Amino acid sequence: MPQLHPEKIAHRLEQLTELSVALGHGLGGQGHDIAPLLQRIVLLAKSMSGADGATLYRPAVNGRQLDFHISVNDSLGIGLDSDIGVPGVPLFDVQGQPNLASVAAYAAHMRRCVNIADVYRDDAFNFSGMQAFDRHHGYHTQSILTVPMGDHEGDLIGVLQLVNAKDEATGQVRAFSATDQRFIEALAAQAGVALTNQQLILQLEELLESLVKLINIGIDEKSPYTGRHCQFVPELTMLLADAAHATTSGPLAGFRLSDNERKQLWLAGMLHDCGKITTPVHVVDKATKLETIFDRIALIDTRYEVLLRDAEIAALQRQITHPDQADAIAAALAGEQVALREERDFIRRVNIGSEGMAEADQQRVRQIARRRWRAADGELHDFLDADETENLTIRFGTLTAAERAIVNNHISVSIRMLEALPWPKHLQKVPEYAGGHHERMDGKGYPRGLTKEQMSVPARLMAIADIFEALTARDRPYKKGKSLSESLRILGNFSLNGHIDPDLFDVFIRSKVYLAFAEKHMHPSQIDVVDEAAIPGYTP
């Protein structure tokens, strides 16, 4: 067999070097996509050996067979995108023993190269499948070189098979030379390392995404509505991000998100409330003003029952002492009981919480708090203690100032949690994107008091997604889900008072992002007719 000219050897070495450089640069900037790497390996192996065809097998997920992954053949016109419909190669026989009859399976099991000059004269392997392929396609397979590819732990990651090496001078099919084999082995080893690195990177990223989901599962188990919020905010965030990316006019005409930035924004959306895993359940799910581990309204109901009984006992005692005044005493008791029951209903009503408790109602609660009642210890006490009074006079919602500070602290915890992670370079913006959704454009937000100019567009747009989802959510224990038009009115006012970015709010409305989300996730009863011209801060 003729030896390769030194120039040919030098050319092959140059090809291996070029592949090394390309692999080191992510195959020309194509990132962690394995497909270009595999295609490059197959085409280079074919070119380097002068083969007419090349096939790459990959182990099936079940580990029971080798699947055709890529196949190219010049004579048959089979390209990278061709589907030749060839079944996989079993790695085991029906008894579960290693299949050593197939040359590809043999190379996979034994981790050895197999170099055969003429398959029709070889009786070491079963080539019936290859011969059937030849008959079907009018082809003649003669020489083959089969090379296993392994990872750093010796596990199989592929089998490369080259077919019909051709003499460069005559074009005739020849056997693969020992030099061919050594170069392809070197290529397979080099490609195996690169492929392993790619897979390890992908596995680490999958692990990261799984850990993100793990955190959200924990949040969901602790507080289902918070878990739902952590699923919907990233979806709405990406809808708005895509709309802003597509904008061709206005202040955001130049805004563009790269694929990497999109990934970081999605991760940030998934993790934006991760700090809530530390927020006490009785605070984050506080449905009424008096709720802690349980709703203390039951204790107050019991006190009213005591007052009602005490009033009745006192009336009966007076009737015994003054029988001539029995009717008047009974009438006075009835009036007192009506007043107590009305007062109890009032306390129950204000316990629910609202978006604006009237000052008169707050004063009435304070007056009721000063009433004296005799408790189980026989002593007189104020009807409401200081903590109960503070909670029942909450002006907005169900949280006291201290409890609201606990809830607000979740964003500081989220930032600390995210900044504590050793984010790789391509994910280093995740903490910034996730940590800005409670900041305001006017610098009055928290935790860092950032202004619009100090925040990136992705960080600013997540605030809109966070607020809109919270406004429309129907599963919050402390509020009802608002209608679409009312939610947009509130957001519009936020765009005017420096709460959210007015430019992004314009995109949110103009691109109908709100409607796409509403039709998918809002209850039909909430989706009312929206007059965009009436939305504050928006000009159609």
Side-chain angles (χ1 to χ4, degrees):
M1 183 177 293
Q3 297 296 314
L4 280 179
H5 192 278
E7 290 183 359
K8 296 292 185 183
I9 294 178
H11 178 63
R12 290 186 178 186
L13 289 172
E14 183 179 351
Q15 288 178 304
L16 284 175
T17 302
E18 289 177 355
L19 177 64
S20 297
V21 173
L23 293 176
H25 289 83
L27 285 177
Q30 299 190 49
H32 304 315
D33 186 2
I34 291 177
L37 168 60
L38 297 177
Q39 293 173 0
R40 180 75 172 262
I41 293 168
V42 170
L43 294 177
L44 182 57
K46 176 178 168 297
S47 170
M48 187 180 291
S49 63
D52 186 44
T55 298
L56 177 65
Y57 299 88
R58 296 294 306 282
V61 175
N62 61 15
R64 303 295 300 176
Q65 70 177 34
L66 294 172
D67 290 336
F68 276 89
H69 194 72
I70 299 174
S71 188
V72 293
N73 189 289
D74 291 343
S75 297
L76 295 176
I78 298 174
L80 291 172
D81 298 327
S82 301
D83 182 8
I84 59 176
V86 177
V89 177
L91 285 171
F92 301 91
D93 60 23
V94 292
Q95 285 79 35
Q97 297 301 311
N99 173 19
L100 301 181
S102 164
V103 65
Y106 176 88
H109 283 299
M110 306 305 292
R111 302 294 196 272
R112 295 179 186 170
C113 293
V114 180
N115 190 343
I116 298 175
D118 192 338
V119 300
Y120 282 87
R121 295 183 180 182
D122 185 271
D123 56 5
F125 298 98
N126 180 0
F127 289 108
S128 59
M130 189 174 291
Q131 292 167 3
F133 177 88
D134 285 355
R135 289 193 298 272
H136 180 76
H137 291 278
Y139 191 69
H140 181 78
T141 302
Q142 182 173 319
S143 59
I144 63 169
L145 175 61
T146 307
V147 182
M149 297 169 57
D151 63 13
H152 65 294
E153 294 181 339
D155 293 331
L156 184 75
I157 58 175
V159 174
L160 183 61
Q161 190 170 81
L162 303 172
V163 177
N164 288 357
K166 290 187 176 181
D167 184 273
E168 189 172 321
T170 65
Q172 296 298 309
V173 175
R174 60 171 177 82
F176 289 92
S177 68
T179 305
D180 292 332
Q181 180 174 325
R182 292 301 293 164
F183 269 102
I184 299 304
E185 287 175 340
L187 171 63
Q190 184 183 55
V193 172
L195 184 57
T196 298
N197 288 339
Q198 297 272 32
Q199 290 177 323
L200 288 173
I201 292 171
L202 289 174
Q203 289 169 4
L204 287 173
E205 292 188 353
E206 289 174 2
L207 176 61
L208 173 62
E209 293 179 11
S210 296
L211 288 173
V212 170
K213 293 176 182 177
L214 179 69
I215 292 172
N216 285 337
I217 288 172
I219 292 174
D220 186 63
E221 286 296 313
K222 179 181 178 181
S223 172
Y225 85 80
T226 306
R228 174 187 178 276
H229 177 74
C230 289
Q231 293 295 321
F232 285 178
V233 166
E235 180 179 340
L236 183 53
T237 294
M238 299 316 298
L239 284 174
L240 180 54
D242 288 341
H245 178 90
T247 299
T248 57
S249 60
L252 293 169
F255 171 70
R256 294 295 180 269
L257 270 181
S258 67
D259 289 342
N260 176 256
E261 288 170 327
R262 282 179 53 82
K263 183 168 187 176
Q264 293 185 82
L265 183 57
W266 177 81
L267 277 173
M270 292 289 288
L271 290 165
H272 80 287
D273 272 350
C274 64
K276 283 186 177 178
I277 202 168
T278 67
T279 307
V281 175
H282 70 274
V283 175
V284 73
D285 281 356
K286 190 181 180 189
T288 64
K289 293 180 179 181
L290 289 173
E291 183 174 355
T292 51
I293 303 302
F294 66 100
D295 192 342
R296 290 174 292 168
I297 192 66
L299 298 178
I300 294 178
D301 281 345
T302 299
R303 294 174 202 166
Y304 274 110
E305 287 301 317
V306 171
L307 290 179
L308 289 166
R309 291 178 188 178
D310 285 352
E312 185 174 2
I313 292 170
L316 291 173
Q317 289 175 337
R318 287 196 301 274
Q319 285 178 332
I320 292 173
T321 305
H322 304 285
D324 57 323
Q325 301 177 17
D327 291 342
I329 293 172
L333 171 63
E336 184 178 358
Q337 289 177 327
V338 167
L340 285 172
R341 291 188 177 100
E342 187 279 328
E343 191 177 277
R344 180 186 60 189
D345 292 340
F346 165 74
I347 293 294
R348 287 175 175 174
R349 191 165 56 251
V350 300
N351 182 48
I352 294 173
S354 67
E355 295 184 10
M357 186 179 185
E359 178 63 30
D361 288 342
Q362 291 178 311
Q363 287 300 327
R364 186 180 181 188
V365 169
R366 296 186 183 101
Q367 290 173 357
I368 293 171
R370 290 191 291 270
R371 174 188 284 116
R372 306 289 283 176
W373 77 294
R374 193 173 301 279
D377 60 5
E379 300 294 328
L380 289 174
H381 298 271
D382 286 343
F383 190 71
L384 301 175
D385 64 28
D387 182 70
E388 292 167 339
T389 303
E390 179 187 8
N391 276 272
L392 286 170
T393 53
I394 293 171
R395 184 170 178 80
F396 295 99
T398 63
L399 299 178
T400 65
E403 290 167 338
R404 194 168 296 281
I406 291 173
V407 172
N408 290 349
N409 186 56
H410 82 273
I411 184 60
S412 296
V413 175
S414 296
I415 293 173
R416 290 205 307 273
M417 289 172 64
L418 295 177
E419 290 184 344
L421 295 175
W423 294 98
K425 182 179 179 180
H426 67 289
L427 296 177
Q428 287 183 351
K429 294 180 180 179
V430 171
E432 176 209 342
Y433 292 168
H437 68 280
H438 282 300
E439 301 290 352
R440 292 174 48 124
M441 303 305 101
D442 57 9
K444 297 178 181 179
Y446 63 92
R448 293 172 173 169
L450 302 177
T451 63
K452 176 180 179 179
E453 293 70 27
Q454 293 173 306
M455 300 171 65
S456 64
V457 173
R460 301 202 301 264
L461 64 82
M462 193 179 296
I464 296 176
D466 185 71
I467 295 170
F468 184 76
E469 197 287 325
L471 289 172
T472 58
R474 299 175 70 244
D475 58 352
R476 304 296 171 91
Y478 49 82
K479 62 176 276 298
K480 295 180 179 180
K482 297 186 181 299
S483 68
L484 188 56
S485 60
E486 185 179 5
S487 300
L488 294 176
R489 177 183 59 78
I490 293 171
L491 267 184
N493 286 325
F494 281 176
S495 75
L496 293 174
N497 66 15
H499 198 127
I500 62 173
D501 186 339
D503 299 328
L504 284 167
F505 178 68
D506 182 86
V507 174
F508 187 75
I509 303 300
R510 196 172 304 279
S511 299
K512 300 290 191 295
V513 173
Y514 70 89
L515 189 58
F517 180 82
E519 290 176 343
K520 185 174 181 181
H521 295 299
M522 288 179 64
H523 193 272
S525 63
Q526 295 176 268
I527 306 177
D528 54 358
V529 177
V530 174
D531 179 6
E532 292 184 352
I535 298 175
Y538 177 71
T539 303

